Amino acid sequence: MLALVARATARPCGLLKQMPLNKITGRFQLHQEALPHLPVPPLQQTLDRYLLALQPIISPEELSHTQQLVAEFRKPGGVGERLQKGLERRAKKTENWLSDWWLKTAYLEYRLPVVVHSSPGVVLPKQDFLDRQGQLRFAAKLIEGILDFKTMIDNETLPVEYMGGKPLCMNQYYQILSSCRIPGPKRDSIVNYAKGKKQSRHITVVHNFQFFELDVYNSDGSPLTADQLFIQLEKIWNTSLQTNKEPIGILTTNHRNSWAKAYNNLLKDKTNKESVRAIEKSICTVCLDAPMPRVSDDIYKSRVAAQMLHGGGSRLNSGNRWFDKTLQFIVAEDGSCGLVYEHAPSEGPPIVALLDHVVEFTKKPETGKSPTVHLPMPKKLRFNITPEIKNDIEKAKQNLNIMVEDLDIKVMVFHQFGKGFPKSEKISPDAFIQLALQLAYYRMYSRACATYESASLRMFRLGRTDTIRSTSVDSLKFVQSMDSPDKSDQEKADLLRRATQAHREYTDMAIRGNAIDRHLLGLKLQAIEDLVSMPELFMDTAYAVAMHFNLSTSQVPAKTDCVMCFGPVVPDGYGVCYNPMEEHINFAISAFNSCADTNAARMAHYLEKALLDMRILLQAAPKSKL
Ligand code: COA
């Protein structure tokens, strides 16, 4: 059955080859049903691996304490076994024992603002237009490309992706268009209008903080052409020449509890409610931004990354967004472009696959003539601002501006080599980059830290991610040896190779559903659900250290020469995202200015040096039998 639907040849995650497929209703469901269920890893295996993962990041005394707690937890007939059985029962009853829990824990119940703390951005290469005409032409073509991709989703003709020869879950693709997050007092929710009678037919366009509903289909159901879209965008532009005094979109940048309160208040007014619903229901948002302040070339990309993540503050483009919207494409008058997306429905790779498609589409010449029908004026979405709403906007502005000031972000294009070099050394490029991050961190802080790298669980039905713990006993041995005069180059190179192999082994274990992080989370949530007292294992300092990810990292590969970026997940940490291309690597590194110990540019500097030193080392010391 799977062979019928999974026709693409094996290719890595994130790379989509577009093939003309005919519409077959139910194709997606058939594919999904043939995917395996996420396993619950064996309890003893996870506990052994947990102790191993702690070794490089905690003291021997702490480790010995945790060993006792683990020994208690794993006893035959003990609490560990009871919780494990609960998880196994859950796995039998559900499509995926983890996905609902993960969605709630990682996203919908997370109360910090989505801006910086959760929503990733993508920086696209600068487009070569310099004025409004160019901006609108490009935006029109981009929208046409989005609609082209949407047709594949609607017709269920999206080619199945593969990783390591295994077909991947395609569900996230069906969640990224026509959806929106809704704030709630304790937990948010997501709405989706991709299917059925209420299927969306419009996008939201924002210009000068003013929102418009733009219908993107002709009456015969065909999508508007780029020429038609251009005309519509011009109409929008010409009716929104003045910046709106009340940037209503700023409300979406707030702490989720405050936003939930403000949302209820906002929607008491019928006009406001209709406007908000129109935004929520739309296919996506297209933000026509004012130009960014001019900066020198060396910091340009870092500034664009900040624009994508937060919009630059209440006086720049932050009011030109609705941050709860799953997908927001950003096109500024000066040619800076990219997107920001709300993370709950999807990981980066499907978003970037869509972007790759759209970017390729924008390069195509116009084909065919546009119908000459008169198109109605796009509808302006109006808001009645009461004093209370105005007050909420002011508070949100203040908080946002603090966040904007606090974000330290550096985009680094590492030009000296790309993934070709580690491959030529028979090393996994991802493992090589992760080891470089370990070395950079160790050189800066003389210690190793808990490190998170996202691993895809999409080999399983409704799979999201698990964690590759890049800090290992082997990585620590390597980074400690690197600057040691007592070790020869050959020994150091052998330690580096061994550490990259260990990283690749962890990756393989993670993508096959056998990593430890989601399993430990599952056991903890099972304890909460069973109302048993929280096992000491989860109250232990070592557990808190293991979950305090000073390095939160992710590879998001793309065909386009772009880079995804996101904020750190702890106050004293770094967020590092990278796109390894064949000849160069794009990195986006973030930190918080409020932390005196972190500095994104400094980390970029150490990372660059680590990558170069590791190349020199491997070239100087030939591969020996490990
Ligand atoms: N020798 C030579 N080549 C090697 C090699 C080796 N030892 N190991 C790997 N390679 C090659 C691979 O074949 C691949 O080749 P390609 O460029 O032709 O495709 C390339 O190097 C990349 O492999 P690698 O660097 O090992 O990474 P990967 O593609 O297997 O990706 C993860 C690893 C962890 C990033 C991936 O499994 C994953 O889970 N991705 C999803 C992450 C995610 O969801 N992020 C978003 C969070 S928002």
Side-chain angles (χ1 to χ4, degrees):
M1 196 190 296
L2 197 63
L4 184 132
V5 289
R7 312 183 8 181
T9 49
R11 63 180 56 89
C13 173
L15 294 185
L16 259 182
K17 189 175 169 199
Q18 309 303 345
M19 291 190 294
L21 299 176
N22 296 326
K23 176 170 179 150
I24 300 181
T25 311
R27 184 201 302 264
F28 164 62
Q29 201 51 37
L30 270 179
H31 167 71
Q32 290 298 111
E33 280 166 13
L35 290 170
H37 283 235
L38 179 70
V40 179
L43 179 67
Q44 303 299 337
Q45 171 188 296
T46 292
L47 295 174
D48 287 340
R49 288 177 175 170
Y50 174 52
L51 290 174
L52 214 57
L54 288 177
Q55 272 189 50
I57 52 171
I58 61 171
S59 69
E61 297 74 41
E62 282 173 316
L63 186 62
S64 130
H65 176 68
T66 305
Q67 277 165 340
Q68 288 169 24
L69 298 183
V70 167
E72 183 61 33
F73 187 77
R74 73 185 339 165
K75 270 188 190 159
V79 64
E81 277 191 4
R82 241 172 58 213
L83 297 176
Q84 176 78 0
K85 285 205 179 95
L87 275 190
E88 285 164 359
R89 273 195 301 276
R90 184 180 166 93
K92 282 204 184 98
K93 285 192 299 204
T94 51
E95 267 193 289
N96 182 313
W97 64 264
L98 176 64
S99 54
D100 269 4
W101 268 347
W102 181 247
L103 182 67
K104 284 177 194 151
T105 314
Y107 302 110
L108 302 181
E109 289 172 1
Y110 187 66
R111 299 287 84 196
L112 287 183
V114 290
V115 177
V116 175
H117 297 287
S118 177
S119 298
V122 178
V123 179
L124 278 176
K126 193 174 191 322
Q127 300 300 315
D128 60 0
F129 55 77
L130 289 165
D131 59 9
R132 175 174 67 107
Q133 285 275 325
Q135 179 189 20
L136 299 190
R137 282 252 163 251
F138 180 76
K141 195 76 190 165
L142 183 119
I143 298 166
E144 202 186 22
I146 299 166
L147 297 177
D148 191 62
F149 195 87
K150 184 175 179 295
T151 305
M152 286 197 287
I153 295 177
D154 292 345
N155 289 350
E156 304 189 22
T157 54
L158 204 58
V160 169
E161 290 172 302
Y162 282 72
M163 188 166 64
K166 297 266 190 337
L168 298 182
C169 173
M170 298 297 287
N171 184 56
Q172 291 176 35
Y173 282 97
Y174 293 80
Q175 311 299 326
I176 56 184
L177 293 174
S178 317
S179 71
C180 194
R181 182 163 167 160
I182 313 279
K186 288 203 175 99
R187 180 194 294 166
D188 296 354
S189 54
I190 304 174
V191 287
N192 186 289
Y193 297 93
K195 279 194 180 144
K197 280 193 190 134
K198 289 188 175 171
Q199 196 177 17
S200 355
R201 292 175 52 88
H202 68 274
I203 63 166
T204 303
V205 178
V206 208
H207 178 235
N208 276 335
F209 308 170
Q210 302 186 42
F211 289 77
F212 293 84
E213 178 179 332
L214 168 56
D215 199 334
V216 287
Y217 290 95
N218 286 301
S219 50
D220 64 357
S222 61
L224 297 196
T225 63
D227 285 343
Q228 288 178 305
L229 288 161
F230 175 75
I231 293 167
Q232 296 299 80
L233 291 177
E234 271 208 315
K235 289 181 194 163
I236 289 176
W237 180 285
N238 290 332
T239 45
S240 52
L241 295 171
Q242 300 292 322
T243 303
N244 212 352
K245 277 200 220 70
E246 299 305 340
I248 192 86
I250 293 270
L251 288 173
T252 62
T253 68
N254 222 340
H255 186 280
R256 302 308 295 177
N257 289 351
S258 320
W259 171 213
K261 262 175 90 181
Y263 181 88
N264 279 339
N265 186 33
L266 181 70
L267 266 62
K268 281 179 194 154
D269 178 281
K270 191 166 165 279
T271 306
N272 295 348
K273 190 171 181 172
E274 278 172 18
S275 296
V276 170
R277 293 284 184 254
I279 298 171
E280 289 169 350
K281 201 179 159 185
S282 61
I283 296 163
C284 65
T285 301
V286 172
C287 312
L288 301 173
D289 271 16
M292 290 191 333
R294 277 186 173 273
V295 289
S296 59
D297 284 353
D298 55 328
I299 60 164
Y300 170 76
K301 283 197 171 167
S302 305
R303 282 297 167 85
V304 181
Q307 280 290 314
M308 297 308 138
L309 283 176
H310 55 53
S314 62
R315 267 180 238 101
L316 286 171
N317 289 304
S318 303
N320 230 33
R321 311 274 186 276
W322 192 266
F323 281 100
D324 287 355
K325 195 70 200 151
T326 307
L327 258 178
Q328 304 203 83
F329 294 87
I330 297 158
V331 183
E333 207 177 318
D334 57 356
S336 40
C337 298
L339 64 79
V340 58
Y341 85 94
E342 200 291 297
H343 210 328
S346 174
E347 259 67 61
I351 304 286
V352 165
L354 185 154
L355 194 64
D356 277 341
H357 180 90
V358 171
V359 168
E360 274 310 300
F361 195 93
T362 58
K363 294 176 189 160
K364 282 191 200 167
E366 268 308 294
T367 50
K369 274 196 152 183
S370 298
T372 47
V373 285
H374 171 76
L375 296 166
M377 173 67 202
K379 183 178 169 195
K380 172 150 188 199
L381 300 174
R382 299 192 181 275
F383 288 94
N384 293 321
I385 309 290
T386 61
E388 205 179 337
I389 297 170
K390 190 173 165 50
N391 193 30
D392 288 335
I393 294 175
E394 285 311 312
K395 277 197 253 160
K397 272 189 196 171
Q398 280 173 18
N399 293 338
L400 170 74
N401 290 337
I402 294 169
M403 276 196 294
V404 167
E405 283 300 305
D406 199 17
L407 183 73
D408 171 20
I409 186 147
K410 169 84 187 164
V411 171
M412 170 176 82
V413 181
F414 178 77
H415 284 291
Q416 288 84 340
F417 57 87
K419 59 182 172 178
F421 170 68
K423 278 190 198 174
S424 72
E425 291 286 330
K426 305 269 176 294
I427 290 175
S428 144
D430 187 65
F432 187 85
I433 293 166
Q434 286 291 328
L435 262 297
L437 280 163
Q438 290 298 309
L439 181 57
Y441 192 90
Y442 188 80
R443 282 175 165 171
M444 287 172 80
Y445 299 100
S446 308
R447 67 175 182 93
C449 67
T451 306
Y452 181 113
E453 183 192 355
S454 319
S456 175
L457 285 178
R458 286 177 56 210
M459 279 188 197
F460 304 99
R461 198 185 305 177
L462 303 184
R464 296 290 302 254
T465 57
D466 206 324
T467 310
I468 302 165
R469 289 192 166 261
S470 305
T471 309
S472 64
V473 173
D474 293 298
S475 74
L476 185 61
K477 278 189 195 152
F478 161 63
V479 298
Q480 283 173 335
S481 79
M482 188 65 181
D483 299 322
S484 159
D486 305 335
K487 291 268 192 283
S488 69
D489 279 357
Q490 188 65 58
E491 285 172 300
K492 292 175 191 177
D494 288 350
L495 287 170
L496 170 56
R497 286 181 188 280
R498 172 66 216 127
T500 56
Q501 274 172 13
H503 186 84
R504 190 61 235 184
E505 283 157 21
Y506 204 117
T507 301
D508 287 336
M509 175 178 98
I511 61 179
R512 281 170 180 75
N514 268 296
I516 62 172
D517 277 74
R518 301 298 182 267
H519 188 200
L520 289 172
L521 175 75
L523 292 164
K524 192 176 158 194
L525 294 176
Q526 189 67 42
I528 295 171
E529 206 158 286
D530 291 355
L531 297 174
V532 294
S533 61
M534 187 52 70
E536 282 213 42
L537 189 64
F538 300 117
M539 322 262 272
D540 184 21
T541 326
Y543 187 73
V545 173
M547 298 302 153
H548 190 88
F549 292 108
N550 291 98
L551 277 176
S552 166
T553 74
S554 186
Q555 178 186 154
V556 181
K559 284 191 252 180
T560 309
D561 191 9
C562 63
V563 66
M564 190 167 267
C565 47
F566 48 75
V569 295
V570 293
D572 55 345
Y574 293 96
V576 183
C577 196
Y578 49 95
N579 175 14
M581 314 283 288
E582 217 49 49
E583 304 291 333
H584 68 278
I585 310 170
N586 297 328
F587 287 98
I589 302 169
S590 64
F592 290 119
N593 286 319
S594 51
C595 175
D597 294 337
T598 55
N599 182 312
R602 200 160 161 253
M603 171 53 91
H605 168 77
Y606 274 84
L607 178 58
E608 183 177 27
K609 178 145 174 41
L611 287 162
L612 291 172
D613 289 353
M614 283 163 55
R615 177 171 72 170
I616 293 170
L617 180 67
L618 290 176
Q619 286 174 334
K623 194 175 176 187
S624 66
K625 286 189 188 110
L626 292 174

